[in-house]
Structures are given as structure tokens and as C-alpha cells.
Amino acid sequence: PTGAQSWWVGVYLASWLLRCAPEAVRGRTILELGSGLGWLAQRLADEGRSRVVATDLKIQDQATDDGVTWRVHAWGDEASLSAILDDVAVDCVVASEVLHWPALSVLDDDTLAPLAASLDLALRRATSRSGVVAYRQRDVQRERTFFHLLEGRGVEARAVALPLPTLAIPAALVAGMAVDDDLARLTETRDDVLRLVPGPDVRLVRLAAR
């Protein structure tokens, strides 16, 4: 399951936001969709001094002392997301590796339309009306379908120009983490520093609600 481990793309997205788009996250209030284990949310809270509302399906609502508030949200559930956004005025929206699986189980509907609905609502309620989605390309047709859904809702998607920059983080940040296989494939380690080297299949997409 995607929520049972942290994902390299989430590690990269946190570093990219902090280094390349600090105005979007530093000191801001951020909503994350599909937070999983919460590594991205925690990194933004710790280093970016951001307030982060981390959302996912199989969690409990709770506020912590480390800048992260956890809220339950199933994609497409407008009522639960509206309640979250009524409680907290968010500045921007982030999501990482949320396009990975077509459904949570073989009995579930595809997640693309519900995800697009949640992103659309969140972007329109955010003060900047903007956000970033990061993922590794696995199914180009599926990903194209997702962005067509967003476009149909009036959300503009613009990919960050390639090649993406190599970024460095302290190796201690991921020590002991359960991370996907990309951590080894897309990372170089030297002197206790991890160099995050994005492959050509890594995508960062800026979103804006028109």
C-alpha cells in the first residue's frame, strides 16, 4: 500500500519547495492531500516553519505540537474537506505520488475523479489558489486523463521545466525510514549528505485555479 512507506518523490518535493519555491511554503499554512506517513508534512513544518494540515483516509483527527495537524479526508468527500477548510485558512496545496494506484482495492472506484474534485475545492479555497503535485511517471495515459479532469474543472496545470535540479539533504533526515526503491535509484550518498538526483520520469506540476 502507498501509505505504508515514504516515497522518494515526496522527499524530493519537500526539498524542492524549500529551496526553489520558498515563498510558497515558508511560514505558510499548507494542506497536503494523501499524506501517508507524513514525511513531507513534517519536513515542511520543521524546516519551513509551516503549519501543515495533513490529510489521509486511515488516520485519526489530531493536532500535534510539531506544526502538523492530522485530519481525515477521503478524496471526493466535499463535506469533510469543506469542514477542514472552514477550520483552517490554507495558503497552498501539495500532494505527492497520489496518482500511483487506480483504486484502493479492486472493489473501489478509480481515484482520479475524486482526487480531482478534492484538489479543485482545495485550490479554490486556498489564499494563493495554487499548489504543486509531484509524481513519477508510470502510466502516461492515466496521468494525462487526470490533468484533463482538472482542466475541465478550470484548474491550470503547468509542469516545472526539465531537467529538475539535483538537491542535497542531510542523510539523517531519512535514516530508519521505510522508503520506496527509488531512494537508492535516485540518490547518491557522500559524507552523510544525500544528493537527490531526479530521473527523467519525475514530474513536478504547478496547479492554479482559474
Side-chain angles (χ1 to χ4, degrees):
T2 58
Q5 61 186 4
S6 294
W7 293 80
W8 184 95
V9 170
V11 176
Y12 184 84
L13 175 59
S15 298
W16 184 86
L17 287 167
L18 291 165
R19 301 292 185 270
C20 303
E23 71 286 350
V25 294
R26 288 192 179 273
R28 306 286 187 178
T29 300
I30 301 170
L31 176 75
E32 184 186 5
L33 297 178
S35 298
L37 297 180
W39 194 94
L40 171 58
Q42 195 60 65
R43 177 91 190 282
L44 294 177
D46 289 346
E47 186 172 338
R49 298 188 181 278
S50 308
R51 180 185 181 189
V52 185
V53 182
T55 68
D56 215 313
L57 187 59
K58 297 181 179 180
I59 59 171
Q60 293 182 337
D61 287 354
Q62 60 176 321
T64 64
D65 296 329
D66 53 13
V68 179
T69 299
W70 287 89
R71 298 290 296 268
V72 175
H73 170 61
W75 297 338
D77 183 349
E78 181 177 338
S80 71
L81 185 55
S82 293
I84 293 169
L85 297 171
D86 287 342
D87 290 344
V88 182
V90 304
D91 296 309
C92 70
V93 184
V94 299
S96 174
E97 291 288 41
V98 290
L99 307 181
H100 192 51
W101 299 113
L104 295 177
S105 81
V106 294
L107 301 179
D108 290 335
D109 293 330
D110 193 280
T111 57
L112 289 186
L115 174 59
S118 288
L119 269 171
D120 178 37
L121 175 58
L123 290 166
R124 294 185 188 286
R125 293 285 299 272
T127 59
S128 69
R129 297 174 68 85
S130 65
V132 180
V133 170
Y135 63 98
R136 185 164 67 82
Q137 283 189 321
R138 296 177 177 86
D139 184 336
V140 173
Q141 183 57 50
R142 173 177 171 75
E143 292 144 10
R144 185 178 294 124
T145 296
F146 172 69
F147 290 112
H148 283 167
L149 287 171
L150 286 180
E151 182 180 352
R153 290 177 167 273
V155 174
E156 184 179 78
R158 290 189 177 182
V160 175
L162 299 176
L164 296 172
T166 294
L167 301 172
I169 64 171
L173 284 176
V174 296
M177 284 174 47
V179 185
D180 66 309
D181 293 341
D182 283 343
L183 186 64
R185 187 175 69 90
L186 299 173
T187 303
E188 300 172 358
T189 305
R190 182 177 181 182
D191 296 330
D192 296 324
V193 172
L194 293 184
R195 296 179 69 252
L196 306 175
V197 186
D201 56 351
V202 175
R203 295 288 184 273
L204 302 184
V205 181
R206 291 181 179 269
L207 304 177
R210 295 193 291 266

